[in-house]
Amino acid sequence: MSTDLLNKVLRVGEGRAMKGMQGRVGKINALEPEMEKLSDAELRAKSDEFRARLSDGAAVADLLNEAFAVVREVGRRVLGMRLFDVQMIGAMTLNAGKIAEMKTGEGKTFAAVPAVYLNALTGRGVHVVTVNDYLVQRDRDWTFPFFHWLGLSVGAIHPMHMQPEEVKRFMYRCDVVYGTTSEFGLDYLRDIMKKSVEQQVQRKPQLAVSSESASTLRHWWWHTTAPHTN
C-alpha cells in the first residue's frame, strides 16, 4: 500500500471518529440551557444521581453527555471557565483510552477533568499522572474546588521524604489522585514487598489519565529502558 493511500485510509478513520465526537458535543451543548437553570444544590445532586445509575447497571458511556454537561456548568460557576468544544472532544478521546493531542493554549489540564470526573463516579479511583511534583500539586490545587464542589475527594502523591506513609495511604483513598509516573511506580514496588495488604498504601488501581502523555512516556522510557550507570 502506498504512503498516500495509507494516509487517506487513516484520515477516513479519524474523520469518522471526529464526526461522531462532534455529534456528541452537539448533544452536550443542547443540555447546557437545562443545566444553567439548576440551582447549586440540584447541580451538586447530579453526582449522587450518576452514582445511583451506575449502581443500577448503567455504563459509564451512558452518562457521558449529561456528566460532561454538568462539568461544563460547574466549571463556569466554580472556576469561572467554560469548557470549549475542543476540550470536550479531548475529554472524549481520553475517556475512550486514546491520546488527545492538543496545542498549547487549548486547555489540556481542564480538558482532562470531564473524563476524570465521569470515571471517578464509579468509586474505584482515578489516577492523574503528570511529570513532576510541582505540576502534581498545582493541578491538584487548581481542580480541588471543582471536584470538592461535586462531592469528590482529591489527593496528591509526593516522594516519601515529603509525605509519610500514613498520609500516602489516605491520599490513595481519594476519588482522584494526582501523582508522577515515578512515584506511582515506586509506591507499587514498595507495596509488593509489604508483608500484608493492610500495610500497603495503594488500593487496586482502576484507571489512569496522563495529563502530559508525551513527557510522561519519555520519563517512563528513560527510567525503564535507557542505559544507566551507578
Side-chain angles (χ1 to χ4, degrees):
M1 183 181 291
S2 69
T3 301
D4 289 342
L5 181 56
L6 177 59
N7 288 335
K8 184 179 289 186
V9 171
L10 291 173
R11 284 196 297 271
V12 168
E14 291 174 356
R16 286 175 180 169
M18 181 62 71
K19 188 174 181 180
M21 287 188 288
Q22 287 173 335
R24 296 204 79 159
V25 169
K27 294 177 181 178
I28 294 166
N29 291 345
L31 291 170
E32 195 164 4
E34 176 185 332
M35 297 299 169
E36 289 175 346
K37 293 177 182 177
L38 296 178
S39 67
D40 285 355
E42 290 171 330
L43 199 56
R44 284 191 183 98
K46 283 292 182 179
S47 291
D48 291 333
E49 176 192 326
F50 295 149
R51 289 189 184 102
R53 287 164 62 182
L54 288 168
S55 295
D56 289 340
V60 169
D62 297 335
L63 305 180
L64 190 147
N65 293 353
E66 293 174 77
F68 279 30
V70 166
V71 170
R72 172 176 272 170
E73 181 58 22
V74 174
R76 187 183 65 79
R77 295 189 194 186
V78 177
L79 301 176
M81 299 177 66
R82 178 187 177 277
L83 280 159
F84 295 112
D85 289 357
V86 67
Q87 290 172 304
M88 290 291 191
I89 291 173
M92 289 179 202
T93 304
L94 293 175
N95 189 68
K98 299 177 181 178
I99 294 175
E101 182 180 3
M102 301 182 71
K103 297 178 181 178
T104 300
E106 287 186 325
K108 295 187 288 293
T109 301
F110 199 14
V113 168
V116 172
Y117 168 71
L118 175 58
N119 287 276
L121 291 169
T122 63
R124 292 175 292 190
V126 176
H127 291 175
V128 184
V129 188
T130 190
V131 292
N132 60 57
D133 288 317
Y134 167 76
L135 290 177
V136 167
Q137 198 61 47
R138 186 204 69 175
D139 292 355
R140 183 268 178 189
D141 291 346
W142 186 72
T143 58
F144 176 83
F146 168 87
F147 287 118
H148 181 72
W149 202 90
L150 279 168
L152 275 68
S153 54
V154 193
I157 299 300
H158 293 291
M160 287 291 290
H161 70 276
M162 299 170 60
Q163 196 171 57
E165 202 167 78
E166 60 270 20
V167 176
K168 277 182 177 285
R169 188 175 292 107
F170 173 81
M171 291 296 180
Y172 274 115
R173 269 60 185 172
C174 291
D175 297 304
V176 181
V177 187
Y178 285 85
T180 62
T181 312
S182 57
E183 199 59 28
F184 282 133
L186 286 170
D187 284 341
Y188 171 78
L189 292 175
R190 294 184 192 109
D191 273 359
I192 62 176
M193 293 187 287
K194 299 287 176 60
K195 294 181 179 180
S196 68
V197 174
E198 290 73 22
Q199 292 178 324
Q200 296 177 349
V201 298
Q202 291 185 338
R203 57 173 172 164
K204 186 178 179 181
Q206 298 296 329
L207 179 74
V209 174
S210 173
S211 64
E212 294 283 351
S213 59
S215 298
T216 299
L217 289 172
R218 281 197 298 269
H219 185 80
W220 171 85
W221 178 85
W222 174 253
H223 283 278
T224 57
T225 64
H228 288 75
T229 57
N230 294 322

